[in-house]
Amino acid sequence: MLFCPNCGVKIVQGDKFCRECGHSLTVIRTENVNSGRDEQKGNPLLTGMFISEPPKNSFPGMGMMGMGMMGMGMMGSFTSGGRHFSYSTQGMMFNSGLNYSISEKEGKLYARMRLPGLYDPDVREFEIPDEIFDRITDVINEFNGDRWDGFNGHAEGVMDGESFSFSYNDGNGRSISAGGYMSMPEGFGGAINVIKGVMEDAYHKKFPDYSEKFRKFFEEDVVAKYGESNRHIKVGDYYALIPYVCGDPGYFAWGENPLPAGLLDYRIFNEYCDTDNNSDDIKYRGIAVLVDKKPADDGSMNYTGIKIQYYGMDGSGEIGLFEEFTVFMEAVRGQSGSFRVFTYKTAYGPILGIWEDISWKYGNTHQAFTFYLYKINKDKLEAIDEIYAEVTGEDSELTDEQFELLCSAAEKAGVYEWAQYFRRTQPRKYISMPDMYIEKIAGFDWHSHFCPDFNDLTGKLPKGVQVGDSHIKVTKI
């Protein structure tokens, strides 16, 4: 006795497709204990795999190939009669393809879907209105779908291709089954694209893609309002070159940072501190890092600062701004430095971190460290600690008290790895943010280049003129 490897019902000898689920049977051969050699002769369709009677206590369809076929994504249908539709594709890669089906249970229709790129455990089943099935029927009619029945195409010599399986039953005796490998019947491709759209619209209505909505919000709304900064450059490329210019005789200053105003980057996450996983509240949140341009008091240039914005969704899925604040009026200072905005997942939820370390070659200040940490709460950012420490005068590195402030901030946040990392760093003037423990949203490094006669030129050139080719290079990290 033979059984369909997809749904487990008995197979009628000679059928090309399972009469229950429409699964292609052209890869089955009848070498089993219940059929003789003579029965196999003269039927070239029944070659390849074989399905014997499933062992007792097994899942229906779990013959010798049952588990393998399910592992390959052949979800198929789950109908026991009535209206039915199923469409699946399968490529060579694990979890490739998709599985869409509709079945009728006690007069109600239920869709079951695994979208492209998702794993089998991500299959979702949900009730749909009759209008969805009716629309699929209309599309099949528009494309003369009855012509597809019995199609079994196979493109010869094509490697690493994709196969498909299709079945449809209107519940009143009309059925269509088709399958193939890199080959489709006439009109099928156009019809299935429409049908996929119909089913995916129903899916996203039931299971809204909040992350995609948030992404579009940042990419479209935020960019439209604030502008687009140098967001899409690759790591290692430079954001900007800032010239060193002459100031008063014998002094120099920074020229304007050409980094444009706008969105520098963003991050979306689906939790906040103390998230109630049993609640139906929408949990998606987002952090935006913006380059903020403000004119200097004398109007000679614009400051190039950094602004943080915290967004969230309300119960209707609308996105609103919860909080915003300026971190730095001028982000790039000193002769070298490093800046990062990042998140970190703690035991109690995500935290937001801001880090900056700066070094000066000239002047009374040698170094400065900024370390701000915030709990990402439901609708606000709650400060854990905000540390700013300078190394000035005769000091060559942070004092013991300043150093412990940085370590204490990390420990208050519950991230003891950071404190351990700081304490292992010697000498202390080389302290930096440990990238291996964070998920960076935005950040850059900067380093200075001075021309050979830099000091002499600062006393000779007019005010505001670049000092040779001296500059600060700001690089994306």
Side-chain angles (χ1 to χ4, degrees):
M1 186 176 296
L2 297 176
F3 292 84
C4 174
N6 188 51
C7 68
V9 304
K10 295 178 182 179
I11 294 171
V12 178
Q13 181 84 5
D15 278 0
K16 296 179 181 180
F17 300 93
C18 174
R19 298 184 180 186
E20 179 67 18
C21 72
H23 179 67
S24 175
L25 305 177
T26 58
V27 294
I28 301 176
R29 74 169 182 256
T30 57
E31 289 182 29
N32 64 74
V33 296
N34 297 308
S35 64
R37 297 290 179 181
D38 292 338
E39 295 178 74
Q40 302 163 38
K41 295 177 182 179
N43 191 346
L45 296 176
L46 300 182
T47 59
M49 308 173 188
F50 80 90
I51 307 295
S52 62
E53 185 171 352
K56 293 180 180 179
N57 302 321
S58 67
F59 187 87
M62 293 298 175
M64 294 189 67
M65 288 299 299
M67 286 298 293
M69 295 296 284
M70 289 193 70
M72 292 171 65
M74 295 294 187
M75 181 183 71
S77 70
F78 51 104
T79 182
S80 58
R83 291 169 291 176
H84 161 74
F85 162 82
S86 72
Y87 173 70
S88 65
T89 64
Q90 180 62 48
M92 298 300 293
M93 299 297 292
F94 180 68
N95 281 319
S96 61
L98 54 84
N99 307 94
Y100 296 173
S101 65
I102 299 173
S103 280
E104 186 172 7
K105 300 177 182 178
E106 299 179 352
K108 295 182 179 181
L109 291 172
Y110 296 87
R112 191 174 183 188
M113 298 176 64
R114 178 178 71 86
L115 271 63
L118 298 183
Y119 298 107
D120 282 334
D122 294 319
V123 169
R124 284 178 164 175
E125 182 177 340
F126 57 101
E127 186 177 350
I128 60 170
D130 288 358
E131 289 78 4
I132 301 297
F133 191 87
D134 294 342
R135 176 58 182 140
I136 292 173
T137 299
D138 290 342
V139 173
I140 292 172
N141 292 338
E142 291 168 12
F143 285 84
N144 297 318
D146 290 299
R147 298 177 301 169
W148 310 335
D149 191 37
F151 179 87
N152 180 44
H154 182 91
E156 298 295 338
V158 179
M159 303 297 291
D160 296 336
E162 185 176 73
S163 62
F164 83 91
S165 177
F166 171 87
S167 65
Y168 166 83
N169 193 308
D170 70 353
N172 294 309
R174 180 192 182 194
S175 64
I176 304 169
S177 296
Y181 173 75
M182 296 302 289
S183 179
M184 293 181 177
E186 182 180 352
F188 183 83
I192 208 66
N193 283 337
V194 177
I195 292 172
K196 283 166 58 181
V198 170
M199 293 200 67
E200 288 166 7
D201 286 347
Y203 180 95
H204 290 305
K205 185 175 181 180
K206 177 68 176 179
F207 307 106
D209 190 344
Y210 294 121
S211 63
E212 177 62 14
K213 183 175 182 178
F214 232 135
R215 186 195 67 79
K216 287 184 177 180
F217 172 79
F218 281 121
E219 298 281 348
E220 298 174 7
D221 297 49
V222 173
V223 169
K225 184 174 183 178
Y226 298 100
E228 179 77 275
S229 193
N230 292 2
R231 181 162 57 98
H232 295 292
I233 68 170
K234 296 185 295 185
V235 171
D237 289 348
Y238 65 87
Y239 276 122
L241 288 177
I242 305 172
Y244 279 112
V245 299
C246 288
D248 294 328
Y251 291 89
F252 68 90
W254 297 273
E256 183 170 339
N257 186 340
L259 188 62
L263 183 65
L264 191 63
D265 222 326
Y266 63 89
R267 183 74 69 246
I268 301 166
F269 37 95
N270 61 352
E271 63 176 339
Y272 44 81
C273 288
D274 302 320
T275 299
D276 182 1
N277 290 321
N278 295 319
S279 169
D280 292 331
D281 290 344
I282 299 173
K283 301 171 179 64
Y284 280 85
R285 298 294 183 265
I287 296 288
V289 181
L290 302 175
V291 175
D292 189 32
K293 293 283 192 177
K294 297 291 184 184
D297 292 338
D298 61 6
S300 60
M301 61 178 287
N302 291 310
Y303 292 120
T304 305
I306 296 295
K307 179 182 288 186
I308 302 296
Q309 294 182 326
Y310 178 39
Y311 293 92
M313 282 184 170
D314 62 19
S316 64
E318 293 302 308
I319 300 172
L321 178 62
F322 287 163
E323 192 170 349
E324 71 174 1
F325 59 93
T326 298
V327 185
F328 306 112
M329 283 289 293
E330 183 65 55
V332 177
R333 296 163 289 156
Q335 277 65 67
S336 64
S338 176
F339 164 76
R340 285 155 177 72
V341 180
F342 58 89
T343 58
Y344 181 86
K345 175 70 177 296
T346 69
Y348 54 83
I351 61 174
L352 173 69
I354 299 167
W355 172 274
E356 187 181 55
D357 58 82
I358 311 171
S359 295
W360 280 265
K361 184 176 180 180
Y362 301 93
N364 186 55
T365 302
H366 309 313
Q367 285 183 292
F369 296 88
T370 299
F371 192 27
Y372 297 163
L373 293 171
Y374 306 92
K375 283 185 179 180
I376 301 176
N377 287 340
K378 184 175 182 178
D379 54 9
K380 67 178 182 178
L381 300 174
E382 177 188 346
I384 298 172
D385 216 338
E386 296 177 331
I387 305 298
Y388 178 76
E390 288 187 351
V391 178
T392 59
E394 299 295 324
D395 294 331
S396 60
E397 60 182 37
L398 290 168
T399 65
D400 290 346
E401 182 179 359
Q402 291 173 322
F403 177 74
E404 284 304 319
L405 286 176
L406 295 179
C407 296
S408 174
E411 291 169 342
K412 286 180 184 177
V415 191
Y416 300 98
E417 296 92 339
W418 293 345
Q420 294 168 3
Y421 178 85
F422 294 153
R423 291 191 171 101
R424 288 197 302 267
T425 303
Q426 296 295 330
R428 291 175 183 172
K429 64 181 179 180
Y430 295 127
I431 289 174
S432 62
M433 191 66 224
D435 282 344
M436 72 285 287
Y437 298 126
I438 66 177
E439 182 180 356
K440 181 173 62 64
I441 302 175
F444 44 77
D445 293 331
W446 63 95
H447 301 277
S448 294
H449 164 74
F450 297 100
C451 63
D453 47 356
F454 180 83
N455 290 330
D456 292 337
L457 289 175
T458 57
K460 298 177 181 178
L461 295 173
K463 187 174 182 178
V465 174
Q466 184 172 356
V467 184
D469 66 346
S470 302
H471 63 266
I472 300 173
K473 186 175 183 179
V474 184
T475 306
K476 183 175 182 177
I477 54 173

